[in-house]
Amino acid sequence: MIKKPLLLMMLLFAFTATKAQDLINPSYGFSHSKTAYITLADGTEISGTIRDIDRDKGLIEFIKLQDAAGKKHKLKPEDIKYMYLPPSGLDNLTKKIDFGTDFQKWNDDKLNQEYLKEGYAYFETADVQIKKKKSKLLMQLLNPAFSKEFKIYCDPHAKETTSLGVGGIKFVGGDAKSYYVAKKDAPAFLLKKKEYKKEFATLWSGCDKLITASSADPKWTDLSRHAVTYSECAQ
């Protein structure tokens, strides 16, 4: 049983907004009462409450949504361009983003900051390179505050370091050991913690400042900071 002081400390972490330069924790459970917002591949916008989400190997296979008129929609990933889903319960408290003014130039202009500030999880259809095959998959973006030049997506199969949490909700720690990452206009690919040092110079090519400063001993935990520095170089 969790002692009260420890629980209060966890809740304090939960109510602290994610800073702009941090990666947000991925969401896996979603509210069935709050409104979700989905833009289809043809540009049609749908809003409503989630009735069901089905996954295969961690990836969303389809999502069932009921709109305000009571109409039910069953959508596959290929039907969706992007979407904002409301995390359930305490999970929502750890997703709120503090968009610093210094990060405005690195924001992807199409993202709805108001939804993200409220803790919504953002998914988009992206080209993903898996071995020799390129597929279009619905990916959860973990760095929405600075994703214009470099995107970091959730790897649904990623193992994690030790985390601190309660009731299935993580508050600190739990760094994923892999992410899907993508430079602007390029397919996403799997980047693993154990391969980060070897891939560092190639991954951040074009940003001499970053390579000179960190290539000797790059830290996996600095991935988001490296992405910000790369964004500076790309301006």
Side-chain angles (χ1 to χ4, degrees), residues 4-229:
K4 187 176 294 185
L6 179 58
L7 178 59
L8 290 175
M9 182 181 70
M10 291 176 177
L11 290 174
L12 177 62
F13 278 115
F15 280 100
T16 301
T18 300
K19 295 181 183 298
Q21 70 271 25
D22 294 335
L23 297 181
I24 60 175
N25 289 326
S27 296
Y28 298 102
F30 300 98
S31 172
H32 290 258
S33 59
K34 296 181 180 179
T35 304
Y37 302 91
I38 299 178
T39 298
L40 303 183
D42 64 3
T44 302
E45 296 181 353
I46 300 175
S47 62
T49 52
I50 298 169
R51 310 314 298 167
D52 187 28
I53 294 179
D54 189 63
R55 295 180 176 88
D56 180 34
K57 297 180 180 178
L59 293 170
I60 293 176
E61 281 282 281
F62 67 78
I63 177 170
K64 290 181 179 179
L65 193 81
Q66 183 171 323
D67 62 28
K71 183 178 179 180
K72 296 179 180 179
H73 306 262
K74 183 177 179 180
L75 305 170
K76 296 180 179 180
E78 57 265 31
D79 300 324
I80 298 169
K81 186 176 182 180
Y82 55 86
M83 62 184 184
Y84 298 85
L85 303 185
S88 59
L90 288 175
D91 191 37
N92 182 50
L93 299 176
T94 68
K95 302 298 188 299
K96 297 181 186 298
I97 299 174
D98 176 19
F99 282 88
T101 55
D102 291 341
F103 285 76
Q104 296 298 322
K105 57 187 176 182
W106 304 323
N107 292 341
D108 192 326
D109 295 337
K110 77 171 184 289
L111 298 180
N112 188 309
Q113 289 191 17
E114 293 306 312
Y115 294 158
L116 295 171
K117 286 177 181 177
E118 289 302 313
Y120 276 71
Y122 174 76
F123 292 77
E124 65 182 10
T125 299
D127 290 324
V128 180
Q129 191 74 41
I130 302 177
K131 296 182 178 180
K132 294 182 179 181
K133 183 180 179 182
K134 186 165 71 174
S135 303
K136 284 192 176 294
L137 301 176
L138 199 54
M139 306 294 287
Q140 186 173 176
L141 186 67
L142 302 183
N143 67 324
F146 54 101
S147 59
K148 188 173 183 179
E149 303 294 337
F150 190 88
K151 296 187 176 185
I152 303 173
Y153 297 109
C154 170
D155 173 11
H157 308 300
K159 295 181 180 179
E160 296 182 342
T161 58
T162 303
S163 62
L164 176 65
V166 61
I169 307 302
K170 291 177 295 184
F171 297 111
V172 293
D175 295 318
K177 294 184 179 181
S178 59
Y179 298 104
Y180 280 92
V181 300
K183 288 185 176 180
K184 189 175 183 179
D185 301 324
F189 65 92
L190 185 63
L191 180 66
K192 298 180 179 180
K193 177 181 179 180
K194 64 181 180 181
E195 298 173 355
Y196 191 47
K197 186 172 184 177
K198 180 179 68 175
E199 299 289 341
F200 190 85
T202 300
L203 179 65
W204 304 116
S205 61
C207 186
D208 294 339
K209 177 174 68 173
L210 175 55
I211 293 173
T212 300
S214 303
S215 61
D217 187 25
K219 304 294 186 184
W220 177 250
T221 51
D222 289 335
L223 176 63
S224 59
R225 188 184 305 174
H226 295 158
V228 170
T229 303

